[in-house]
Amino acid sequence: MIMSDTDSTFNFLISMIYTQMFNLLCEKADDVYGGRLPVHVRCLIDEMANIGQIPNLEKLMATIRSREISAVLVLQAKSQLKSIYKDNADTIIGNCDSQIFLGGSEKTTLKDLNESLGKETIDMYNTGESRGSQQSYNMNYQKLGHDLMSVDQLAVLDGSKCIVQVRGVRPFLSDKYDLTKHPNYRLTADYDKKYWFDVEKYLNHRMTLRAEERYEVIMQTPAET
């Protein structure tokens, strides 16, 4: 489904299509395949904040995964999700087993990520020296908690890095995958414009006649039609 990300006139169509699709897939999984689809269905929902609200998404996120259905929600910031789904935004996020932070500067997203990363233990040494009639020295040793990554560090995260959070695993810093190294990258439009998918051309079914090609023409009389 390809819709305008600047014109929201037909956003309701996307919401209807997603709702119908999830309902049909769940019914098929329950009634035909005993509760789980034989082939996993993954929905890549890019620019999710610009397609309108999907009804009951917080309930769907909690139920569809048991039917071998998953949804990848792509957002610029968590605040976009909260502005659309209000109090249900936390429920939707909580039902996502994996989260990937690719970079950004939105404060709500950075603060949530900072809290989920937790703290690390650091050693602090304080030394003092007093001079007078009698010279003395003192040393103080402490163990303190320090944010694994502060909000300002997250805001300037290297563009080649990302932070991955997977359920049951501590968050970790990772390199972003270099798409140009993928074996099928040469088949993409970024590599060669001839692979660009022209939707309008695909939907246009008029046959193009060429002078060097031969065709068989069948004529019908009015009675035959």
Side-chain angles (χ1 to χ4, degrees):
M1 294 175 286
I2 303 174
M3 298 289 287
S4 172
D5 56 359
T6 56
D7 184 359
S8 60
T9 304
F10 297 105
N11 280 359
F12 72 95
L13 289 175
I14 291 289
S15 300
M16 290 173 58
I17 292 172
Y18 271 119
T19 301
Q20 186 75 354
M21 180 188 69
F22 285 132
N23 288 339
L24 287 174
L25 287 174
C26 289
E27 289 177 4
K28 182 72 71 173
D30 293 337
D31 299 339
V32 180
Y33 298 107
R36 301 180 73 90
L37 295 174
V39 178
H40 187 83
V41 178
R42 188 183 304 277
C43 303
L44 304 176
I45 311 177
D46 192 15
E47 294 293 345
M48 184 185 173
N50 297 324
I51 64 172
Q53 186 179 27
I54 301 174
N56 300 319
L57 181 61
E58 69 280 359
K59 295 180 181 179
L60 289 171
M61 292 294 292
T63 56
I64 60 175
R65 55 185 177 182
S66 64
R67 273 91 167 184
E68 283 294 338
I69 307 169
S70 61
V72 180
L73 315 180
V74 183
L75 296 157
Q76 299 293 334
K78 285 185 177 180
S79 59
Q80 292 180 317
L81 192 68
K82 293 179 180 180
S83 66
I84 299 174
Y85 293 94
K86 310 301 179 186
D87 296 336
N88 293 323
D90 291 333
T91 304
I92 295 171
I93 295 173
N95 281 299
C96 295
D97 287 340
S98 305
Q99 296 184 46
I100 302 177
F101 175 72
L102 301 177
S105 57
E106 196 271 323
K107 291 184 179 180
T108 303
T109 305
L110 297 180
K111 186 177 179 180
D112 290 348
L113 184 58
N114 166 258
E115 293 176 354
S116 63
L117 290 178
K119 297 181 180 292
E120 62 178 340
T121 303
I122 60 172
D123 298 325
M124 185 176 73
Y125 293 90
N126 292 321
T127 59
E129 178 183 358
S130 61
R131 296 187 179 184
S133 58
Q134 291 183 342
Q135 218 172 12
S136 64
Y137 298 90
N138 64 76
M139 176 181 289
N140 182 29
Y141 168 73
Q142 290 179 300
K143 280 187 174 292
L144 301 175
H146 181 270
D147 290 338
L148 193 62
M149 289 191 74
S150 62
V151 172
D152 59 316
Q153 287 176 315
L154 291 170
V156 294
L157 183 68
D158 190 334
S160 64
K161 303 289 184 180
C162 65
I163 296 176
V164 182
Q165 296 174 272
V166 182
R167 186 179 64 174
V169 180
R170 292 286 300 172
F172 58 90
L173 189 68
S174 176
D175 293 323
K176 291 180 182 177
Y177 182 74
D178 186 359
L179 292 178
T180 60
K181 294 182 179 179
H182 193 280
N184 292 330
Y185 175 72
R186 59 185 181 82
L187 301 177
T188 65
D190 290 336
Y191 180 83
D192 193 331
K193 294 299 180 184
K194 72 178 182 179
Y195 294 114
W196 182 262
F197 181 67
D198 189 338
V199 178
E200 293 183 358
K201 183 178 179 181
Y202 176 77
L203 295 176
N204 186 359
H205 297 288
R206 282 189 295 176
M207 184 173 61
T208 303
L209 301 179
R210 296 182 178 85
E212 66 276 8
E213 295 181 344
R214 300 180 63 182
Y215 299 92
E216 181 180 353
V217 179
I218 300 175
M219 302 296 292
Q220 289 184 323
T221 65
E224 292 176 335
T225 57

